[in-house]
Amino acid sequence: MDWISLLLVPAIKSLVVVVALLTGFAYLSYVERKLVARFQVRYGPNRAGPFGILQPISDALKMVFKEEIVPLNVDHVVYLLSPALTVMPALVIWAVIPVSGASFTLFGQTITPYVSDVNVGLLYILAIASLATYGIVLAGWSSNNKYSLLGALRTSSQMLSYELPMGITLVSVLLIAGSLSLVDIVQAQRGVWFALLQPIGFIIYFICGLAEAGRSPFDLPETENELVSGFATEYGGIKFALFFMGEYIHMITISALATTFFLGGWYGPFVNQIPVLGLVYFLIKVAFMIFLIVWIRASLPRIRYDKLMHFCWKFLLPLSLLNLVVTAVVLVLVG
Amino acid sequence: MLREVWSGSIEILRAMWITLKHFFRPPVTNQYPDDRVPVYPRFRARHVLKRYENGLERCIGCSLCAAACPTDCILVIAAENTEENRRSPGERYAEVYEINLLRCIFCGYCAEACPTEAIVLEHDFELSTHNRWDAIITQEELLEPHEPDYILIRDDQVWVEPKWGHLTK
């Protein structure tokens, strides 16, 4: 194995993924504002460029040129590091997500449609997703602000709690697919999507995904009516934009993982004849999941904090365990 | 508990159905600086100093408006009319007439107090300025004609819901 396929190809693929995700984040903020506006019978941003499509660029410029304010008594290193710690895991997860089924050859190199096919992909995802909590907790702690600290405490307990049912649900997916590799999991859905075999699992995963990404109705980390802005209270300018980026890329990641685990990944009609369709189907499914998330944000109010914990520990966790047991028993009986 | 899960799910689906219905409606927003909403003829915004048909000013400089003004935002300094310089039919006219719009509360007492119906509140509601001193409007700006083309005026018909008439018939 020469250095090109070992270093250069993964590096270029990572670059492509990161650039795609950052562009996706910028336009997701535009799309979300537009969608929420239409749900509220408004127009949404339509001033910058035709239909407001230059809005993300103007937002980004505004954020970059804002004054860098660092409050007096913050822990400097941690304060500046934590926004990056929030963005990094959401980006790194994408290393193992296959976006299409077909490899292609370019300059004599076989290019696979994923950065790497780790044989413990699912464990890798669960491990990296947990890291996202650190950024938020450290941000809340280093800000030296009560609102930030409360937001961070809530975030940590919420994310830790909701990781459990999510992990258990993914174990039932693992039981059916028989592999931890994401490529194998998608290929196991060639015939029938896991969303149909695991409807309860899909719903549990989706609810936990909302909670993990801190999306409404589980956006307790930044309850602006009681905690100002939660962990992000003391952050401004590009540092705040990084938190924002982390949240939105998380949203894309959760949608992509739901697509991979439950909605058949790149599979769809005629995908074997025309391999490019795989990427199209994948993007369509991700876009549908994102629309669903925004739709839920426009529909449901934020739930109370104790209800959030009760819902997770007294309902979702037993239900996901039950789902796992039933899946295992059925699999043994069917053979 | 099963009933709770069931009813909760139904409520969530109902909420999402309502938002979905709204999603397909056209937006109700007025794109204000581009699409202007016409005002009613009796809409009361910025003051205008009226004239008679022959072009003479109605204002006689009596300062009753300034006396009636609860926020004391009107300044009137009167001067005598002469044969060479006749600006109003009476003995005196307003040489200086200024209204500080930063203080004005648009109560319309000045219009009520005016004996010659010289000052009235009319349709121009775009009163923002780049400079505080520009908020004090002078006689030149106040005097008729002041009908800027960005102010649209609609007809005075009051819209009545059609079924109201049917109920009494």
Side-chain angles (χ1 to χ4, degrees), chain A residues 66-78:
Chain A
K66 279 210 168 188
E67 188 186 353
E68 285 280 308
I69 296 172
V70 179
L72 196 59
N73 287 323
V74 301
D75 186 332
H76 268 260
V77 178
V78 183

Side-chain angles (χ1 to χ4, degrees), chain A residues 34-35 38-43 46-47 291-292 295-296 298-300 314-315, chain B residues 1 5 12 15-17 19-20 22-23 25-31 33-34:
Chain A
K34 214 62 177 165
L35 284 177
R38 293 312 292 257
F39 276 118
Q40 294 167 355
V41 207
R42 295 184 285 120
Y43 281 104
N46 63 354
R47 291 282 134 182
F291 177 78
L292 204 60
W295 183 11
I296 284 173
S299 308
L300 302 181
K314 291 186 177 170
F315 182 71
Chain B
M1 188 174 119
V5 170
I12 287 175
M16 294 181 71
W17 171 242
T19 43
L20 193 66
H22 283 76
F23 185 69
R25 284 190 196 167
V28 294
T29 318
N30 284 314
Q31 302 272 57
D34 300 339

Side-chain angles (χ1 to χ4, degrees), chain B residues 8 11 28 74 78 92 113 139 141 146 166-167:
Chain B
E11 288 304 316
V28 294
I74 304 180
R92 302 203 294 171
Q139 201 173 26
E141 296 166 79
H146 181 76
H166 297 294
L167 288 176

Side-chain angles (χ1 to χ4, degrees), chain A residues 117-307:
Chain A
D117 180 17
V118 189
N119 58 3
V120 288
L122 204 149
L123 287 179
Y124 169 84
I125 283 172
L126 288 176
I128 298 292
S130 318
L131 282 181
T133 320
Y134 279 100
I136 290 175
V137 171
L138 289 178
W141 177 75
S142 67
S143 293
N144 194 20
N145 177 318
K146 292 181 189 67
Y147 293 124
S148 304
L149 188 61
L150 278 174
L153 288 175
R154 282 183 174 189
T155 312
S156 55
S157 50
Q158 172 182 332
M159 291 200 173
L160 290 177
S161 310
Y162 276 82
E163 250 162 38
L164 281 172
M166 180 188 244
I168 292 168
T169 312
L170 292 183
V171 171
S172 11
V173 169
L174 167 69
L175 279 181
I176 304 180
S179 168
L180 281 164
S181 152
L182 267 68
V183 178
D184 292 349
I185 288 176
V186 176
Q187 273 165 358
Q189 301 179 66
R190 190 183 289 116
V192 53
W193 294 358
F194 286 167
L196 301 174
L197 295 178
Q198 287 277 336
I200 297 173
F202 179 51
I203 292 168
I204 294 174
Y205 172 82
F206 185 62
I207 293 172
C208 294
L210 287 177
E212 287 283 299
R215 294 290 306 177
S216 180
F218 304 111
D219 51 350
L220 271 296
E222 42 195 298
T223 39
E224 50 289 298
N225 25 19
E226 48 199 85
L227 289 183
V228 188
S229 185
F231 61 89
T233 308
E234 295 290 354
Y235 285 88
I238 195 68
K239 298 193 289 300
F240 174 76
L242 278 175
F243 278 122
F244 202 64
M245 190 189 283
E247 184 190 329
Y248 276 71
I249 293 178
H250 242 101
M251 190 167 138
I252 308 177
T253 310
I254 290 293
S255 306
L257 289 179
T259 307
T260 308
F261 290 134
F262 294 98
L263 296 180
W266 64 79
Y267 280 113
F270 305 114
V271 79
N272 289 329
Q273 287 82 355
I274 315 162
V276 181
L277 274 180
L279 181 61
V280 176
Y281 285 133
F282 181 80
L283 291 179
I284 289 175
K285 287 169 185 173
V286 171
F288 172 75
M289 291 305 292
I290 287 173
F291 177 78
L292 204 60
I293 292 176
V294 175
W295 183 11
I296 284 173
R297 182 193 155 184
S299 308
L300 302 181
R302 180 183 303 127
I303 62 175
R304 217 171 64 196
Y305 186 65
D306 57 332
K307 297 263 184 194

